[in-house]
Amino acid sequence: MAKIELIATATFGLEEMVKLEVKQLGYEDIKVENGKVIFTADEAAIPKTNLWLRTADRVLLKMGEFEARSFEELFQKTKAIPWEEWIPENGKFPVIGKSVKSQLFSVPDCQAIVKKAVVERLKSVYNVEWFQEDGPEYEIEVALLKDVVTLTIDTSGAGLHKRGYRTKANEAPLKETLAAAMVMISRWREDRVLIDPFCGSGTIAIEAALIGRNMAPGLERKFTAESWHRVPEQLWKEARMEALKAIRQDVDIHIMASDMDPKAIKIAEENAYQAGVDDCITFKVQDMAQIASDGKYGYIICNPPYGERLGEKKEVERLYKRMGQVFSKFDTWSMYVITSEEQFEALYGKKASKKRKLYNGRIKVDYYQFFGPKPPKEMLGKG
């Protein structure tokens, strides 16, 4: 198989998590840039990374990178790329684009020029004047940053956060990729109790269960590159078989997820069932103050309300004070809270051991991490 370059795109703040995941999948030649992780691989990496990456947004095939300050330069350099190595004669190749701090700032013009250049290249190779574009899809992106053009083809299709289990969601759901990152940053282990007292549609609890069971997050969905001739069906079959074999059914996972909204709990239960992890999670309709557990050295990981709407701020401030009181009873536990409230530590009544800047959709948030004491050696592996 040929060497190819892939880009795993990431939400701001999650690049290092994506890099770690790419490394764990066995890829070495890795470079991190803002919002992306670039690595060298082969065709087999397309199924593998799409199936396994929990914190990446999508996997792009990098076709070329060059400087361009004129439309002529953009046209000629795009045309010089061997697009025929990937796009067949009947391939559908729409072009999307973005431009930041570049002389070629008109995105529609850049898209039209790239489209024309690819057409001209494929015309000369396939010796045809017209393309039906009724076959597999190869969505091309032209991305300009400071006059550097990066041309890619999307291998994923729908974003990787769309695992396929969330058939319904309540208001403002947490993205699956961010929920997985929150669990991974916390270093929660499957032999520890995990509580989410604001579970909404269950995303944090479900992502934790998938991690605990070592279930590939993309196992239940389809990807654009499944119809590409360069990535044979056999590679997808092998990657899926490997992922199925990797599932750990023998682990005993204790996750408790609760919410005051009965509708949210109903949705969460359905989502957990769809994800195949309903046996790992106990869902309950209850107030945050009612959480309880016999487990020592457990974890609370949550995404409480932020009070983004007018009139909710005072209510949310009261909630954060109550959280500080309720969570303080879990004195041997570790706490992880994501919120946009900049005064969270003051309201909660404790300074975080560490905090990390992230984005929940378009909202700038901090991930507050309160580390509990290390369990004694004899407790390790006992929960």
Side-chain angles (χ1 to χ4, degrees):
M1 281 186 276
K3 281 277 168 220
I4 57 173
E5 239 186 322
L6 294 174
I7 299 172
T9 64
T11 303
F12 175 77
L14 293 186
E15 296 92 344
E16 284 303 320
M17 296 306 299
V18 174
K19 180 192 174 180
L20 180 70
E21 286 199 85
V22 168
K23 207 170 178 184
Q24 284 169 346
L25 289 175
Y27 305 105
E28 293 293 329
D29 187 13
I30 306 167
K31 197 166 74 182
V32 178
E33 287 177 16
N34 264 351
K36 55 188 179 181
V37 175
I38 305 148
F39 57 104
T40 309
D42 57 22
E43 286 92 332
I46 292 175
K48 197 171 183 178
T49 52
N50 273 298
L51 284 171
W52 279 104
L53 290 178
R54 297 180 193 279
T55 59
D57 288 333
R58 54 184 65 240
V59 178
L60 308 175
L61 168 69
K62 187 173 167 187
M63 293 299 291
E65 194 166 85
F66 50 81
E67 277 193 13
R69 288 179 177 80
S70 70
F71 288 134
E72 181 58 22
E73 208 178 350
L74 175 63
F75 178 84
Q76 294 300 345
K77 288 179 177 177
T78 300
K79 195 183 166 191
I81 292 167
W83 296 95
E84 68 280 358
E85 287 180 5
W86 289 90
I87 304 173
E89 197 177 321
N90 69 338
K92 191 194 295 180
F93 49 102
V95 180
I96 59 165
K98 58 185 178 189
S99 178
V100 179
K101 296 177 184 168
S102 297
Q103 286 181 47
L104 303 179
F105 57 84
S106 168
V107 174
D109 286 337
C110 291
Q111 287 173 192
I113 283 154
V114 166
K115 179 77 179 185
K116 192 181 174 195
V118 178
V119 166
E120 289 306 312
R121 170 82 191 199
L122 296 181
K123 264 179 166 180
S124 64
V125 172
Y126 294 123
N127 208 14
V128 290
E129 281 303 307
W130 178 257
F131 293 99
Q132 292 287 352
E133 295 200 44
D134 56 2
E137 183 159 288
Y138 298 80
E139 185 181 77
I140 297 167
E141 182 183 68
V142 49
L144 290 97
L145 175 63
K146 295 176 184 169
D147 301 319
V148 174
V149 178
T150 307
L151 289 164
T152 58
I153 303 178
D154 180 20
T155 75
S156 303
L160 294 181
H161 70 283
K162 296 197 171 170
R163 321 285 207 213
Y165 66 72
R166 199 154 79 179
T167 48
K168 291 179 189 159
N170 62 335
E171 264 185 77
L174 192 68
K175 242 186 178 181
E176 293 86 338
T177 41
L178 180 56
M182 286 168 67
V183 176
M184 288 162 77
I185 290 165
S186 81
R187 300 200 174 176
W188 169 77
R189 291 186 359 212
E190 66 280 356
D191 62 350
R192 298 268 172 267
V193 178
L194 169 57
I195 296 177
D196 178 3
F198 305 96
C199 76
S201 48
T203 315
I204 293 171
I206 293 166
E207 290 297 322
L210 291 172
I211 290 165
R213 279 259 169 95
N214 199 34
M215 292 168 82
L219 205 46
E220 293 300 313
R221 57 159 283 181
K222 293 278 176 214
F223 303 94
T224 298
E226 286 189 65
S227 55
W228 293 6
H229 70 291
R230 268 290 291 270
V231 191
E233 199 183 335
Q234 189 57 28
L235 289 183
W236 290 95
K237 273 187 184 163
E238 283 167 15
R240 282 203 161 91
M241 282 305 295
E242 203 179 301
L244 284 166
K245 281 181 192 162
I247 296 171
R248 298 169 59 205
Q249 294 290 5
D250 56 329
V251 288
D252 193 15
I253 295 171
H254 296 284
I255 298 170
M256 293 187 271
S258 56
D259 201 285
M260 284 179 71
D261 181 359
K263 277 187 201 155
I265 291 296
K266 196 172 185 315
I267 290 168
E269 285 174 335
E270 282 175 33
N271 291 342
Y273 176 76
Q274 288 295 332
V277 292
D278 50 315
D279 58 329
C280 302
I281 309 164
T282 305
F283 289 103
K284 240 184 199 176
V285 177
Q286 67 177 17
D287 181 75
M288 170 270 297
Q290 294 173 286
I291 57 169
S293 171
D294 296 334
K296 269 207 160 196
Y297 308 103
Y299 287 68
I300 292 175
I301 304 178
C302 62
N303 172 41
Y306 303 166
E308 290 291 315
R309 291 199 194 108
L310 218 60
E312 288 180 346
K313 196 162 169 54
K314 286 273 174 276
E315 205 179 307
V316 163
E317 286 175 359
R318 279 196 298 272
L319 172 70
Y320 291 168
K321 283 176 185 169
R322 276 178 72 220
M323 276 170 69
Q325 291 156 8
V326 173
F327 290 6
S328 67
K329 296 174 204 165
F330 295 80
D331 55 350
T332 56
W333 285 45
S334 296
M335 319 289 173
Y336 296 83
V337 183
I338 197 166
T339 175
S340 62
E341 174 54 68
E342 289 177 6
Q343 298 306 309
F344 176 74
E345 287 163 306
L347 294 162
Y348 183 77
K350 194 177 177 184
K351 196 160 170 49
S353 316
K354 201 174 178 182
K355 65 178 184 174
R356 190 177 185 138
K357 285 199 183 314
L358 295 171
Y359 275 86
N360 180 5
R362 287 167 184 263
I363 304 168
K364 192 165 147 292
V365 291
D366 280 297
Y367 191 33
Y368 295 92
Q369 304 161 54
F370 302 88
F371 305 148
K374 277 207 169 101
K377 277 188 179 150
E378 64 270 19
M379 281 288 299
L380 290 172
K382 287 185 185 174

